[in-house]
Amino acid sequence: MIFYFSGTGNSKWIAREISVVQHERLISIADEMTNPDAAFQYRLTDNEMIGFVFPVYSWAPPAIVMDFIDKIRFENFRNPYMFFVCTCGDEVGLTVDSIKKAAGKRGWSWNAGFSVIMPNNYVCLPGFDTDPKELEEKKLSEAVPAVGHINALLTARESDVFEYRKGSWPCFKSRIINPLFNKYQVTAKPFFATDSCISCGLCEKACPVHNIRVVDKPVWGEFCTSCLACYHVCPQQAVQYGKATRNKHQYFNPHQ
């Protein structure tokens, strides 16, 4: 089975591509975490692999992914083949260290792990915007063979394979900036809709954690992951994050 979390669709596309080739079940982490009846218990079939696919948020795994890993339990767990794939705009920092530590606490061991460079979508801080169109298309094009390469390694059940780009200053980015990001930036409070909102409901539909309700305009709840799906999917660009997103651009994975 393959568990995934995705906001603007990059990780969802990769998870789906892997699930098709590996003939594995696809399970949304967001759906499980927002289901009041979820037991977080999953029974493995013989020879079934376990995979996690998720984006990198400020050089670390999203908090919702780490919380999910802490909650889940497996039946028929007999040292299955386990892997993860994280998507990033450029680099992952200490994401791999974090996900390995989380697995270790559960008594798991990763056989393989990868990062895939995908178009940037974070726009909520000064100096951050989506990639220029040419770079966006280049990243999407190069991601196709990258996922094909990962699938080949997974099919062969290769072990002790970890391919990722840590980047510069990983300790500072993952251990200093990321906690500040989680404390101050993972919040729906700055979100609002301008008068150009047409109440189409796309933001409500796109929110992976069902945190938006559209009446006349969208209203945000308190369970925000800062995935920015609502901002990027809006056809009128009416969804804004305070003043931070003014005159910035949008991106949503074209395969979604």
Side-chain angles (χ1 to χ4, degrees), residues 56 87-91 116-120 131 139:
V56 172
T87 60
C88 61
D90 298 290
E91 57 193 32
V116 178
I117 293 178
M118 297 292 284
N120 280 300
D131 292 321
K139 287 182 176 182

Side-chain angles (χ1 to χ4, degrees), residues 31-39:
D31 286 348
E32 297 295 282
M33 290 292 281
T34 55
N35 179 2
D37 299 320

Side-chain angles (χ1 to χ4, degrees), residues 35-95:
N35 179 2
D37 299 320
F40 301 106
Q41 192 158 328
Y42 309 91
R43 181 170 181 80
L44 298 171
T45 59
D46 292 341
N47 299 317
E48 185 172 10
M49 65 169 57
I50 300 174
F52 286 80
V53 183
F54 56 88
V56 172
Y57 281 5
S58 185
W59 301 285
I64 189 173
V65 173
M66 300 296 274
D67 290 344
F68 181 74
I69 288 175
D70 188 56
K71 289 177 181 291
I72 59 177
R73 300 292 183 273
F74 293 109
E75 297 179 25
N76 197 34
F77 188 90
R78 300 173 181 173
N79 296 318
Y81 184 88
M82 300 188 68
F83 72 93
F84 64 85
V85 180
C86 55
T87 60
C88 61
D90 298 290
E91 57 193 32
V92 304
L94 298 182
T95 294

Side-chain angles (χ1 to χ4, degrees), residues 89-162:
D90 298 290
E91 57 193 32
V92 304
L94 298 182
T95 294
V96 174
D97 300 63
S98 297
I99 205 73
K100 283 186 175 181
K101 184 177 180 180
K105 289 181 179 178
R106 304 302 317 281
W108 306 344
S109 179
W110 301 110
N111 296 92
F114 310 91
S115 68
V116 178
I117 293 178
M118 297 292 284
N120 280 300
N121 61 14
Y122 193 72
V123 293
C124 293
L125 284 173
F128 286 77
D129 202 347
T130 60
D131 292 321
K133 198 65 179 177
E134 183 177 351
L135 179 56
E136 174 188 310
E137 293 174 352
K138 180 175 184 290
K139 287 182 176 182
L140 288 170
S141 177
E142 292 177 349
V144 175
V147 174
H149 169 70
I150 291 171
N151 260 322
L153 293 173
L154 296 180
T155 298
R157 295 294 198 275
E158 295 286 351
S159 288
D160 199 26
V161 178
F162 295 92

